[in-house]
Amino acid sequence: MYDGIKGFAEVYPEEMAAYREVIDTVEDTARGYGFREIETPAMESAEMYIDKSGEEIVEELYAFEDKGGRHVALTPELTPTVARMVAGRSQELAKPIKWFSTRPFWRYEEPQQGRFREFYQTNVDIFGASDPAADAEILAFGADTLTGLGLTADDFEFRISHRDILGELLRSFDGDVDVRNAIRAVDKSEKVDRNEYLRLLEEAGLGGDQAETFVDLLAAGNDDLDELVAFTDSVEPAVENLQAVLSAAADYGVREFCDVSLETARGLDYYTGVVFECFDAEGEISRAIFGGGRYDDLIESYGGPEMPAVGVAPGVMNSTLPLLLKRAGVWPDEEFTTDYYVLQVGDTRPVAAGIARELRERGHIVEGDVEGRGFGAQLDYADSINAETVVIVGEQDLANDELTIKEMESGDQIQVPVEAFPGEHNRPTIGDFR
Amino acid sequence: MYDGIKGFAEVYPEEMAAYREVIDTVEDTARGYGFREIETPAMESAEMYIDKSGEEIVEELYAFEDKGGRHVALTPELTPTVARMVAGRSQELAKPIKWFSTRPFWRYEEPQQGRFREFYQTNVDIFGASDPAADAEILAFGADTLTGLGLTADDFEFRISHRDILGELLRSFDGDVDVRNAIRAVDKSEKVDRNEYLRLLEEAGLGGDQAETFVDLLAAGNDDLDELVAFTDSVEPAVENLQAVLSAAADYGVREFCDVSLETARGLDYYTGVVFECFDAEGEISRAIFGGGRYDDLIESYGGPEMPAVGVAPGVMNSTLPLLLKRAGVWPDEEFTTDYYVLQVGDTRPVAAGIARELRERGHIVEGDVEGRGFGAQLDYADSINAETVVIVGEQDLANDELTIKEMESGDQIQVPVEAFPGEHNRPTIGDFR
């Protein structure tokens, strides 16, 4: 027996039915906001990531040389791909461009609970809108998705930061600060102790006192953003932008899910404005559920036009979101449902098949015998797939132009004329013939 | 600008909307037959294919060594994966096991019209049923899918062969025939001239006269299978099996789509019984649209139990099926649809956002301004996304507790009280307020 590959999940039907409900909820919510579905390739030039996404992602790439000598990588995230697609048709497309897609991504990380090497995300992005309302619409989509899945404000929170607030604060200090590395230090701040955090900031060029001041400023800013403006005027436009996003989020009815948390910097280098991550409000799941933010420079960096962008990417399968749904007790509890089993006894297949076909044409889930089984074995199978109604097509009944309809839950059954079933009924049950 | 990878498609929204309709039709048809959705990994041990699927597929693998030193391959097809999954839970699962899944596969082939290196298939399989009715149900699913997409018997045909008919005929000749290679020769017969076909058969161990006889027998068998039984009794069980499948297909209402075509051998080695391919009945598209068949030995070969299996895999995206749908004039002609655009003029976002939310909760597609645009620019955008109704929320109207509803097609508009919209209406239009 060949084993599956470590970190790659197989999903059997009952579990998949739950995932399907999650994915449908996420996608239907996106459609409701006018996001349009796209499909994207699973493979890109490895250089696209090596040049743009920073070290962290490169170490995790599934990269290799294909038979044509191309240095390729399985896509670890959608953003660079979708940025290229927007850049390629930026003239023709009406702005804002609002796209979504659900598909797998691959990262060579150490698997752990809720983290797989192959995982599914629904990416949801707005291109061509720089207004804070666009950032807020992304937050609103994210919050609506989670409440649509049954979560409440007690279950999750969006921790919101702003790259320009961090950048301007860092640049306000004298000296030669490497802003990119300092922001990476901020991103790690929750995972390391304070001394290590300070050390990483000093490594990025802050003096010891400056690092202390910076860390304290972020904490103060979380309670009152005006404290930051009092420290340095240069941060004012970014603070106003964050406040405008929060104000729009209030208009959109999702302010209650949003907390300012300046330390939530996100790892990827390409973010430019508001960034956020969704967390378990009860803290039981320690890692972020998903995240997103604004990346206004990325499309231009791909040779496209100036094109502001903001997006989010809930992980819908093989990810942390299912852990949160289970923790909160709202994981969809799906089981097999089957509307009809058409049971044939003796040489009655033409009639049985015709009935099955008519029921399927009405949109129902209908199974019949494909194994030449007897009455009892067919009834057992019908039971195992939770068939609601069994239509028994027997030779003797047929000789009298009759069928038997059996309601599985009650065990009640009734004989009906062949021509009356399904007849005019859209979803005939035993009750229609009593 | 980084280019996409050769043979990997990008799909923009209008085209994706058509694909989504195709995929939904295929999946809904599968669900109607009681197939249950699963999800499977994109990567497997390369050895799984090298050992099992024959040379042809191995040359086309995207295979590489991962960072953990595993020799892996992107899945070129689903069957070996799903065989392992069935083998892994064969005790617990009620038979027949009926599964489907839609996902991308990858083959390093030369791209041409309708052939991509990344393509999407919906795999539909029945495990644990050896009865001819199972083969016929797979044919019925395939035919229902195509008629569901708008095709008719004038548009497509299933060419049906049987591996055991070919095998028994080949074994009936004296001498040392390599059945596997001879069947590969049959599979190529439509692509090469008769001399080359005969040469390939001789290479597989048939004598010159035997090869001629064999080729003529297949042609005769296509018209009358009993001709084959007259030639050798050993072929009788296989002929009876094929006839039973065709008889069940008749009961299932899809016999008209099926032609016996013994030369349709299919390339993969693991097939054991009925095999078939779907072709353009008008011959404009020369390659097969998709195919399937019975593979009764594969699961046992993975260390699982004896487990008969039969399946089919329509290529739903980046494949030949869209070519056939376009040729037949039934490719879904989709365009952007938007139910409502909620237009805000002045400082009216809280009210506009509340209306948008209420309309989305009713299941509609609703967009609003996320760019701080003026009246005219918003109306142009609403037009560009084919908004059916525009709800204008203006400061002056609001001062009178009113909104304006504009029907975009006619240009008609009407003022309504704020509290009346959307009110009790599930999908309010201007007609509800005249």
Side-chain angles (χ1 to χ4, degrees), chain A residues 8-49:
Chain A
F8 286 69
E10 295 165 355
V11 184
Y12 285 80
E14 283 86 352
E15 195 185 3
M16 188 63 213
Y19 277 125
R20 179 51 57 202
E21 191 152 319
V22 171
I23 293 168
D24 283 350
T25 301
V26 174
E27 292 192 337
D28 288 347
T29 305
R31 286 182 209 277
Y33 275 92
F35 293 94
R36 318 291 168 165
E37 188 176 13
I38 59 166
E39 195 54 68
T40 63
M43 203 181 282
E44 294 281 4
S45 153
E47 276 63 37
M48 186 152 110
Y49 304 107

mmCIF file of all heavy atoms in Angstrom, chain A residues 8-49:
data_model
loop_
_atom_site.group_PDB
_atom_site.id
_atom_site.type_symbol
_atom_site.label_atom_id
_atom_site.label_comp_id
_atom_site.label_asym_id
_atom_site.label_seq_id
_atom_site.Cartn_x
_atom_site.Cartn_y
_atom_site.Cartn_z
ATOM 1 N N PHE A 8 -0.705 16.208 3.648
ATOM 2 C CA PHE A 8 -1.746 16.256 2.609
ATOM 3 C C PHE A 8 -2.939 15.442 3.095
ATOM 4 O O PHE A 8 -2.802 14.253 3.353
ATOM 5 C CB PHE A 8 -1.218 15.701 1.282
ATOM 6 C CG PHE A 8 -0.275 16.638 0.577
ATOM 7 C CD1 PHE A 8 0.984 16.900 1.099
ATOM 8 C CD2 PHE A 8 -0.645 17.268 -0.592
ATOM 9 C CE1 PHE A 8 1.855 17.771 0.466
ATOM 10 C CE2 PHE A 8 0.217 18.144 -1.245
ATOM 11 C CZ PHE A 8 1.464 18.396 -0.712
ATOM 12 N N ALA A 9 -4.088 16.077 3.214
ATOM 13 C CA ALA A 9 -5.252 15.409 3.802
ATOM 14 C C ALA A 9 -6.103 14.721 2.750
ATOM 15 O O ALA A 9 -6.149 15.134 1.594
ATOM 16 C CB ALA A 9 -6.105 16.431 4.551
ATOM 17 N N GLU A 10 -6.772 13.658 3.169
ATOM 18 C CA GLU A 10 -7.830 13.028 2.386
ATOM 19 C C GLU A 10 -9.136 13.276 3.133
ATOM 20 O O GLU A 10 -9.177 13.116 4.338
ATOM 21 C CB GLU A 10 -7.603 11.518 2.305
ATOM 22 C CG GLU A 10 -6.342 11.162 1.556
ATOM 23 C CD GLU A 10 -5.915 9.711 1.775
ATOM 24 O OE1 GLU A 10 -6.551 9.013 2.593
ATOM 25 O OE2 GLU A 10 -4.947 9.305 1.146
ATOM 26 N N VAL A 11 -10.175 13.647 2.432
ATOM 27 C CA VAL A 11 -11.425 13.977 3.096
ATOM 28 C C VAL A 11 -12.528 13.040 2.596
ATOM 29 O O VAL A 11 -12.863 13.046 1.416
ATOM 30 C CB VAL A 11 -11.804 15.453 2.851
ATOM 31 C CG1 VAL A 11 -13.054 15.817 3.638
ATOM 32 C CG2 VAL A 11 -10.650 16.373 3.248
ATOM 33 N N TYR A 12 -13.082 12.263 3.525
ATOM 34 C CA TYR A 12 -14.154 11.314 3.193
ATOM 35 C C TYR A 12 -15.514 12.033 3.217
ATOM 36 O O TYR A 12 -15.613 13.155 3.722
ATOM 37 C CB TYR A 12 -14.112 10.145 4.182
ATOM 38 C CG TYR A 12 -12.967 9.177 3.926
ATOM 39 C CD1 TYR A 12 -11.671 9.444 4.358
ATOM 40 C CD2 TYR A 12 -13.176 7.992 3.228
ATOM 41 C CE1 TYR A 12 -10.617 8.560 4.111
ATOM 42 C CE2 TYR A 12 -12.141 7.101 2.976
ATOM 43 C CZ TYR A 12 -10.862 7.388 3.426
ATOM 44 O OH TYR A 12 -9.836 6.513 3.166
ATOM 45 N N PRO A 13 -16.552 11.393 2.670
ATOM 46 C CA PRO A 13 -17.809 12.122 2.397
ATOM 47 C C PRO A 13 -18.450 12.857 3.572
ATOM 48 O O PRO A 13 -18.860 14.007 3.404
ATOM 49 C CB PRO A 13 -18.737 11.025 1.855
ATOM 50 C CG PRO A 13 -17.817 10.106 1.145
ATOM 51 C CD PRO A 13 -16.583 10.049 2.031
ATOM 52 N N GLU A 14 -18.583 12.239 4.760
ATOM 53 C CA GLU A 14 -19.288 12.949 5.841
ATOM 54 C C GLU A 14 -18.555 14.243 6.176
ATOM 55 O O GLU A 14 -19.167 15.307 6.318
ATOM 56 C CB GLU A 14 -19.404 12.096 7.110
ATOM 57 C CG GLU A 14 -20.471 11.034 7.046
ATOM 58 C CD GLU A 14 -19.967 9.755 6.411
ATOM 59 O OE1 GLU A 14 -18.828 9.749 5.878
ATOM 60 O OE2 GLU A 14 -20.706 8.749 6.425
ATOM 61 N N GLU A 15 -17.219 14.151 6.322
ATOM 62 C CA GLU A 15 -16.437 15.341 6.645
ATOM 63 C C GLU A 15 -16.519 16.351 5.494
ATOM 64 O O GLU A 15 -16.611 17.557 5.712
ATOM 65 C CB GLU A 15 -14.985 14.921 6.899
ATOM 66 C CG GLU A 15 -14.156 15.996 7.578
ATOM 67 C CD GLU A 15 -12.682 15.586 7.696
ATOM 68 O OE1 GLU A 15 -12.311 14.488 7.203
ATOM 69 O OE2 GLU A 15 -11.911 16.369 8.278
ATOM 70 N N MET A 16 -16.487 15.835 4.269
ATOM 71 C CA MET A 16 -16.536 16.731 3.114
ATOM 72 C C MET A 16 -17.857 17.474 3.058
ATOM 73 O O MET A 16 -17.899 18.636 2.646
ATOM 74 C CB MET A 16 -16.309 15.937 1.822
ATOM 75 C CG MET A 16 -16.162 16.818 0.588
ATOM 76 S SD MET A 16 -14.712 17.918 0.672
ATOM 77 C CE MET A 16 -15.330 19.341 -0.235
ATOM 78 N N ALA A 17 -18.954 16.815 3.461
ATOM 79 C CA ALA A 17 -20.255 17.489 3.442
ATOM 80 C C ALA A 17 -20.220 18.701 4.377
ATOM 81 O O ALA A 17 -20.792 19.755 4.068
ATOM 82 C CB ALA A 17 -21.362 16.521 3.850
ATOM 83 N N ALA A 18 -19.533 18.578 5.505
ATOM 84 C CA ALA A 18 -19.397 19.711 6.416
ATOM 85 C C ALA A 18 -18.536 20.802 5.766
ATOM 86 O O ALA A 18 -18.884 21.986 5.781
ATOM 87 C CB ALA A 18 -18.789 19.264 7.739
ATOM 88 N N TYR A 19 -17.411 20.396 5.196
ATOM 89 C CA TYR A 19 -16.564 21.377 4.504
ATOM 90 C C TYR A 19 -17.329 22.069 3.379
ATOM 91 O O TYR A 19 -17.177 23.259 3.136
ATOM 92 C CB TYR A 19 -15.323 20.696 3.917
ATOM 93 C CG TYR A 19 -14.200 20.518 4.901
ATOM 94 C CD1 TYR A 19 -13.645 19.268 5.141
ATOM 95 C CD2 TYR A 19 -13.663 21.619 5.568
ATOM 96 C CE1 TYR A 19 -12.588 19.107 6.032
ATOM 97 C CE2 TYR A 19 -12.612 21.463 6.458
ATOM 98 C CZ TYR A 19 -12.072 20.205 6.690
ATOM 99 O OH TYR A 19 -11.037 20.054 7.562
ATOM 100 N N ARG A 20 -18.138 21.298 2.635
ATOM 101 C CA ARG A 20 -18.887 21.886 1.519
ATOM 102 C C ARG A 20 -19.807 22.977 2.032
ATOM 103 O O ARG A 20 -19.959 24.011 1.407
ATOM 104 C CB ARG A 20 -19.668 20.779 0.777
ATOM 105 C CG ARG A 20 -20.513 21.217 -0.387
ATOM 106 C CD ARG A 20 -19.792 22.079 -1.416
ATOM 107 N NE ARG A 20 -18.616 21.453 -1.988
ATOM 108 C CZ ARG A 20 -17.610 22.138 -2.561
ATOM 109 N NH1 ARG A 20 -17.644 23.461 -2.614
ATOM 110 N NH2 ARG A 20 -16.566 21.508 -3.050
ATOM 111 N N GLU A 21 -20.413 22.737 3.215
ATOM 112 C CA GLU A 21 -21.298 23.759 3.772
ATOM 113 C C GLU A 21 -20.500 25.014 4.154
ATOM 114 O O GLU A 21 -20.949 26.145 3.929
ATOM 115 C CB GLU A 21 -22.048 23.202 4.982
ATOM 116 C CG GLU A 21 -23.161 24.114 5.428
ATOM 117 C CD GLU A 21 -24.290 23.366 6.112
ATOM 118 O OE1 GLU A 21 -24.649 22.264 5.633
ATOM 119 O OE2 GLU A 21 -24.805 23.881 7.117
ATOM 120 N N VAL A 22 -19.309 24.803 4.707
ATOM 121 C CA VAL A 22 -18.451 25.946 5.045
ATOM 122 C C VAL A 22 -18.080 26.715 3.774
ATOM 123 O O VAL A 22 -18.221 27.940 3.699
ATOM 124 C CB VAL A 22 -17.179 25.466 5.773
ATOM 125 C CG1 VAL A 22 -16.183 26.628 5.939
ATOM 126 C CG2 VAL A 22 -17.527 24.865 7.131
ATOM 127 N N ILE A 23 -17.627 25.994 2.757
ATOM 128 C CA ILE A 23 -17.188 26.653 1.518
ATOM 129 C C ILE A 23 -18.352 27.381 0.859
ATOM 130 O O ILE A 23 -18.217 28.518 0.406
ATOM 131 C CB ILE A 23 -16.558 25.614 0.562
ATOM 132 C CG1 ILE A 23 -15.256 25.077 1.161
ATOM 133 C CG2 ILE A 23 -16.296 26.224 -0.822
ATOM 134 C CD1 ILE A 23 -14.691 23.848 0.448
ATOM 135 N N ASP A 24 -19.533 26.737 0.824
ATOM 136 C CA ASP A 24 -20.701 27.394 0.232
ATOM 137 C C ASP A 24 -21.034 28.686 0.968
ATOM 138 O O ASP A 24 -21.389 29.697 0.340
ATOM 139 C CB ASP A 24 -21.918 26.458 0.259
ATOM 140 C CG ASP A 24 -21.844 25.388 -0.825
ATOM 141 O OD1 ASP A 24 -20.970 25.486 -1.711
ATOM 142 O OD2 ASP A 24 -22.655 24.439 -0.786
ATOM 143 N N THR A 25 -20.943 28.660 2.305
ATOM 144 C CA THR A 25 -21.252 29.867 3.082
ATOM 145 C C THR A 25 -20.273 30.989 2.747
ATOM 146 O O THR A 25 -20.664 32.139 2.518
ATOM 147 C CB THR A 25 -21.211 29.562 4.590
ATOM 148 O OG1 THR A 25 -22.162 28.534 4.875
ATOM 149 C CG2 THR A 25 -21.533 30.795 5.417
ATOM 150 N N VAL A 26 -18.985 30.637 2.704
ATOM 151 C CA VAL A 26 -17.971 31.648 2.397
ATOM 152 C C VAL A 26 -18.205 32.205 0.988
ATOM 153 O O VAL A 26 -18.217 33.432 0.772
ATOM 154 C CB VAL A 26 -16.557 31.044 2.509
ATOM 155 C CG1 VAL A 26 -15.500 32.050 2.052
ATOM 156 C CG2 VAL A 26 -16.282 30.587 3.944
ATOM 157 N N GLU A 27 -18.424 31.322 0.027
ATOM 158 C CA GLU A 27 -18.568 31.775 -1.357
ATOM 159 C C GLU A 27 -19.877 32.543 -1.568
ATOM 160 O O GLU A 27 -19.892 33.545 -2.292
ATOM 161 C CB GLU A 27 -18.493 30.575 -2.313
ATOM 162 C CG GLU A 27 -17.102 29.950 -2.339
ATOM 163 C CD GLU A 27 -16.921 28.963 -3.480
ATOM 164 O OE1 GLU A 27 -17.947 28.439 -3.973
ATOM 165 O OE2 GLU A 27 -15.763 28.720 -3.877
ATOM 166 N N ASP A 28 -20.956 32.081 -0.959
ATOM 167 C CA ASP A 28 -22.226 32.796 -1.108
ATOM 168 C C ASP A 28 -22.132 34.190 -0.501
ATOM 169 O O ASP A 28 -22.708 35.150 -1.029
ATOM 170 C CB ASP A 28 -23.375 32.009 -0.472
ATOM 171 C CG ASP A 28 -23.743 30.776 -1.295
ATOM 172 O OD1 ASP A 28 -23.293 30.680 -2.453
ATOM 173 O OD2 ASP A 28 -24.465 29.908 -0.780
ATOM 174 N N THR A 29 -21.428 34.299 0.623
ATOM 175 C CA THR A 29 -21.240 35.622 1.222
ATOM 176 C C THR A 29 -20.456 36.520 0.266
ATOM 177 O O THR A 29 -20.808 37.684 0.050
ATOM 178 C CB THR A 29 -20.522 35.502 2.574
ATOM 179 O OG1 THR A 29 -21.245 34.593 3.416
ATOM 180 C CG2 THR A 29 -20.421 36.854 3.263
ATOM 181 N N ALA A 30 -19.402 35.982 -0.327
ATOM 182 C CA ALA A 30 -18.616 36.767 -1.292
ATOM 183 C C ALA A 30 -19.471 37.188 -2.485
ATOM 184 O O ALA A 30 -19.439 38.345 -2.917
ATOM 185 C CB ALA A 30 -17.404 35.966 -1.755
ATOM 186 N N ARG A 31 -20.255 36.249 -3.017
ATOM 187 C CA ARG A 31 -21.128 36.590 -4.145
ATOM 188 C C ARG A 31 -22.102 37.696 -3.767
ATOM 189 O O ARG A 31 -22.405 38.573 -4.563
ATOM 190 C CB ARG A 31 -21.923 35.352 -4.610
ATOM 191 C CG ARG A 31 -21.094 34.331 -5.364
ATOM 192 C CD ARG A 31 -21.977 33.147 -5.838
ATOM 193 N NE ARG A 31 -21.214 31.918 -5.929
ATOM 194 C CZ ARG A 31 -20.467 31.578 -6.978
ATOM 195 N NH1 ARG A 31 -20.393 32.374 -8.020
ATOM 196 N NH2 ARG A 31 -19.789 30.452 -6.988
ATOM 197 N N GLY A 32 -22.616 37.647 -2.551
ATOM 198 C CA GLY A 32 -23.562 38.664 -2.087
ATOM 199 C C GLY A 32 -22.978 40.066 -2.131
ATOM 200 O O GLY A 32 -23.689 41.041 -2.365
ATOM 201 N N TYR A 33 -21.655 40.168 -1.910
ATOM 202 C CA TYR A 33 -20.985 41.473 -1.972
ATOM 203 C C TYR A 33 -20.567 41.825 -3.399
ATOM 204 O O TYR A 33 -19.906 42.834 -3.617
ATOM 205 C CB TYR A 33 -19.750 41.471 -1.065
ATOM 206 C CG TYR A 33 -20.064 41.795 0.378
ATOM 207 C CD1 TYR A 33 -20.343 40.797 1.304
ATOM 208 C CD2 TYR A 33 -20.075 43.116 0.811
ATOM 209 C CE1 TYR A 33 -20.627 41.093 2.628
ATOM 210 C CE2 TYR A 33 -20.356 43.433 2.132
ATOM 211 C CZ TYR A 33 -20.636 42.415 3.031
ATOM 212 O OH TYR A 33 -20.918 42.732 4.336
ATOM 213 N N GLY A 34 -20.918 40.984 -4.362
ATOM 214 C CA GLY A 34 -20.570 41.289 -5.744
ATOM 215 C C GLY A 34 -19.174 40.852 -6.150
ATOM 216 O O GLY A 34 -18.674 41.285 -7.184
ATOM 217 N N PHE A 35 -18.527 40.011 -5.334
ATOM 218 C CA PHE A 35 -17.254 39.439 -5.780
ATOM 219 C C PHE A 35 -17.543 38.380 -6.834
ATOM 220 O O PHE A 35 -18.521 37.635 -6.720
ATOM 221 C CB PHE A 35 -16.479 38.832 -4.593
ATOM 222 C CG PHE A 35 -16.005 39.867 -3.617
ATOM 223 C CD1 PHE A 35 -16.758 40.189 -2.497
ATOM 224 C CD2 PHE A 35 -14.813 40.549 -3.835
ATOM 225 C CE1 PHE A 35 -16.342 41.167 -1.602
ATOM 226 C CE2 PHE A 35 -14.383 41.529 -2.949
ATOM 227 C CZ PHE A 35 -15.152 41.838 -1.829
ATOM 228 N N ARG A 36 -16.702 38.325 -7.882
ATOM 229 C CA ARG A 36 -16.908 37.414 -9.016
ATOM 230 C C ARG A 36 -15.831 36.354 -8.996
ATOM 231 O O ARG A 36 -14.661 36.639 -8.741
ATOM 232 C CB ARG A 36 -16.843 38.192 -10.335
ATOM 233 C CG ARG A 36 -17.555 39.545 -10.319
ATOM 234 C CD ARG A 36 -19.077 39.436 -10.237
ATOM 235 N NE ARG A 36 -19.680 40.742 -9.949
ATOM 236 C CZ ARG A 36 -20.960 41.028 -10.096
ATOM 237 N NH1 ARG A 36 -21.812 40.110 -10.515
ATOM 238 N NH2 ARG A 36 -21.417 42.236 -9.801
ATOM 239 N N GLU A 37 -16.240 35.141 -9.337
ATOM 240 C CA GLU A 37 -15.301 34.013 -9.239
ATOM 241 C C GLU A 37 -14.289 34.011 -10.386
ATOM 242 O O GLU A 37 -14.639 34.255 -11.542
ATOM 243 C CB GLU A 37 -16.079 32.686 -9.248
ATOM 244 C CG GLU A 37 -15.176 31.486 -8.956
ATOM 245 C CD GLU A 37 -15.962 30.181 -8.862
ATOM 246 O OE1 GLU A 37 -17.140 30.150 -9.246
ATOM 247 O OE2 GLU A 37 -15.363 29.188 -8.398
ATOM 248 N N ILE A 38 -13.045 33.705 -10.058
ATOM 249 C CA ILE A 38 -12.004 33.478 -11.060
ATOM 250 C C ILE A 38 -11.349 32.126 -10.775
ATOM 251 O O ILE A 38 -11.586 31.519 -9.726
ATOM 252 C CB ILE A 38 -10.905 34.565 -11.030
ATOM 253 C CG1 ILE A 38 -10.233 34.621 -9.644
ATOM 254 C CG2 ILE A 38 -11.475 35.925 -11.413
ATOM 255 C CD1 ILE A 38 -8.941 35.407 -9.620
ATOM 256 N N GLU A 39 -10.565 31.637 -11.736
ATOM 257 C CA GLU A 39 -9.778 30.425 -11.477
ATOM 258 C C GLU A 39 -8.331 30.734 -11.852
ATOM 259 O O GLU A 39 -8.083 31.460 -12.809
ATOM 260 C CB GLU A 39 -10.322 29.236 -12.284
ATOM 261 C CG GLU A 39 -9.802 27.900 -11.823
ATOM 262 C CD GLU A 39 -10.034 27.667 -10.325
ATOM 263 O OE1 GLU A 39 -11.185 27.530 -9.892
ATOM 264 O OE2 GLU A 39 -9.029 27.640 -9.593
ATOM 265 N N THR A 40 -7.425 30.178 -11.079
ATOM 266 C CA THR A 40 -6.017 30.554 -11.223
ATOM 267 C C THR A 40 -5.143 29.310 -11.251
ATOM 268 O O THR A 40 -5.533 28.258 -10.752
ATOM 269 C CB THR A 40 -5.586 31.423 -10.021
ATOM 270 O OG1 THR A 40 -5.692 30.637 -8.834
ATOM 271 C CG2 THR A 40 -6.459 32.666 -9.899
ATOM 272 N N PRO A 41 -3.955 29.420 -11.829
ATOM 273 C CA PRO A 41 -3.064 28.257 -11.937
ATOM 274 C C PRO A 41 -2.467 27.837 -10.601
ATOM 275 O O PRO A 41 -2.317 28.637 -9.691
ATOM 276 C CB PRO A 41 -1.965 28.738 -12.882
ATOM 277 C CG PRO A 41 -2.021 30.223 -12.834
ATOM 278 C CD PRO A 41 -3.427 30.602 -12.526
ATOM 279 N N ALA A 42 -2.133 26.560 -10.506
ATOM 280 C CA ALA A 42 -1.524 26.004 -9.302
ATOM 281 C C ALA A 42 -0.014 26.195 -9.283
ATOM 282 O O ALA A 42 0.630 25.887 -8.280
ATOM 283 C CB ALA A 42 -1.840 24.510 -9.202
ATOM 284 N N MET A 43 0.534 26.664 -10.360
ATOM 285 C CA MET A 43 1.988 26.729 -10.480
ATOM 286 C C MET A 43 2.397 28.068 -11.071
ATOM 287 O O MET A 43 1.709 28.598 -11.944
ATOM 288 C CB MET A 43 2.440 25.605 -11.421
ATOM 289 C CG MET A 43 3.862 25.168 -11.262
ATOM 290 S SD MET A 43 4.217 23.863 -12.473
ATOM 291 C CE MET A 43 3.452 22.434 -11.714
ATOM 292 N N GLU A 44 3.491 28.609 -10.571
ATOM 293 C CA GLU A 44 4.024 29.874 -11.079
ATOM 294 C C GLU A 44 5.549 29.770 -11.121
ATOM 295 O O GLU A 44 6.139 28.876 -10.518
ATOM 296 C CB GLU A 44 3.631 31.038 -10.140
ATOM 297 C CG GLU A 44 2.138 31.350 -10.070
ATOM 298 C CD GLU A 44 1.639 32.169 -11.260
ATOM 299 O OE1 GLU A 44 2.442 32.427 -12.194
ATOM 300 O OE2 GLU A 44 0.449 32.530 -11.262
ATOM 301 N N SER A 45 6.128 30.706 -11.823
ATOM 302 C CA SER A 45 7.585 30.864 -11.774
ATOM 303 C C SER A 45 8.030 31.041 -10.320
ATOM 304 O O SER A 45 7.498 31.884 -9.594
ATOM 305 C CB SER A 45 7.958 32.105 -12.586
ATOM 306 O OG SER A 45 9.152 32.661 -12.122
ATOM 307 N N ALA A 46 8.998 30.263 -9.893
ATOM 308 C CA ALA A 46 9.461 30.364 -8.496
ATOM 309 C C ALA A 46 10.012 31.759 -8.206
ATOM 310 O O ALA A 46 9.888 32.261 -7.091
ATOM 311 C CB ALA A 46 10.518 29.301 -8.213
ATOM 312 N N GLU A 47 10.587 32.384 -9.223
ATOM 313 C CA GLU A 47 11.175 33.719 -9.031
ATOM 314 C C GLU A 47 10.122 34.733 -8.590
ATOM 315 O O GLU A 47 10.422 35.698 -7.896
ATOM 316 C CB GLU A 47 11.836 34.213 -10.330
ATOM 317 C CG GLU A 47 13.254 33.701 -10.533
ATOM 318 C CD GLU A 47 13.334 32.193 -10.667
ATOM 319 O OE1 GLU A 47 12.414 31.595 -11.280
ATOM 320 O OE2 GLU A 47 14.275 31.591 -10.125
ATOM 321 N N MET A 48 8.879 34.531 -9.017
ATOM 322 C CA MET A 48 7.821 35.451 -8.634
ATOM 323 C C MET A 48 7.737 35.563 -7.106
ATOM 324 O O MET A 48 7.507 36.645 -6.569
ATOM 325 C CB MET A 48 6.507 34.968 -9.220
ATOM 326 C CG MET A 48 5.369 35.913 -9.008
ATOM 327 S SD MET A 48 4.151 35.742 -10.321
ATOM 328 C CE MET A 48 2.822 35.000 -9.429
ATOM 329 N N TYR A 49 7.924 34.456 -6.421
ATOM 330 C CA TYR A 49 7.860 34.488 -4.953
ATOM 331 C C TYR A 49 9.188 34.901 -4.356
ATOM 332 O O TYR A 49 9.253 35.633 -3.373
ATOM 333 C CB TYR A 49 7.433 33.116 -4.419
ATOM 334 C CG TYR A 49 6.134 32.686 -5.021
ATOM 335 C CD1 TYR A 49 6.087 31.684 -5.981
ATOM 336 C CD2 TYR A 49 4.947 33.331 -4.687
ATOM 337 C CE1 TYR A 49 4.893 31.318 -6.580
ATOM 338 C CE2 TYR A 49 3.756 32.976 -5.282
ATOM 339 C CZ TYR A 49 3.736 31.973 -6.221
ATOM 340 O OH TYR A 49 2.563 31.626 -6.814
#
